[in-house]
Amino acid sequence: MKGLGELERSIMDILWAESNALTAREVGRLIADRDLAPTTVMTVLDRLTRKGFLERTRDGRAWRYQPAESRDAYIAEIMLEALDLTGDRSAALTRFAQAVSGTEAEILRRALTELEDE
């Protein structure tokens, strides 16, 4: 399963919340609850890039990082990978459907209807 460690998740949360690509220095400033060395932030950003979570572009001497996909896409991928772990996808989906709220069920109904209409 394509997972994130605690520090990786904190950095991804920062980048998902931003509308613009950020440098390592900018990310480091936004991690308020940690006293991290700049090299640690750069190492984690590089690792996330190699894992496919981030894309980076050159900006002078620095790199700017942005998520390769949205948080929603990442969560959906985790959910699909979890379904792959079960021996009975139908049973898992049924159990999931029974656990969601009425509002969430309606959202699922609309999404499925839209897919059928395509």
Side-chain angles (χ1 to χ4, degrees):
M1 186 177 286
K2 192 174 174 180
L4 292 170
E6 182 185 342
L7 182 54
E8 290 174 329
R9 194 170 39 253
S10 295
I11 288 175
M12 287 304 300
D13 284 341
I14 287 167
L15 289 164
W16 276 320
E18 292 294 320
S19 56
N20 298 317
L22 299 177
T23 65
R25 179 172 285 158
E26 291 167 333
V27 171
R29 284 188 200 128
L30 292 171
I31 300 179
D33 60 338
R34 298 177 184 246
D35 185 24
L36 298 174
T39 54
T40 301
V41 175
M42 287 188 291
T43 298
V44 175
L45 289 167
D46 184 57
R47 186 173 39 218
L48 288 167
T49 301
R50 281 186 277 122
K51 285 182 171 183
F53 285 98
L54 297 177
E55 296 173 349
R56 69 182 184 183
T57 54
R58 226 4 143 172
D59 184 8
R61 293 179 47 195
W63 289 104
R64 289 203 167 271
Y65 296 87
Q66 65 187 40
E69 294 189 46
S70 69
R71 182 191 317 261
D72 294 340
Y74 171 67
I75 297 301
E77 183 178 328
I78 290 173
M79 292 168 70
L80 289 169
E81 288 176 3
L83 272 176
D84 287 341
L85 296 175
T86 181
D88 187 350
R89 286 177 75 109
S90 295
L93 285 168
T94 300
R95 179 88 170 172
F96 178 78
Q98 292 168 342
V100 299
S101 70
T103 303
E104 292 165 333
E106 183 55 37
I107 292 167
L108 287 171
R109 272 191 217 94
R110 269 186 274 147
L112 292 170
T113 300
E114 288 174 13
L115 288 172
E116 288 174 353
D117 292 344
E118 290 180 357

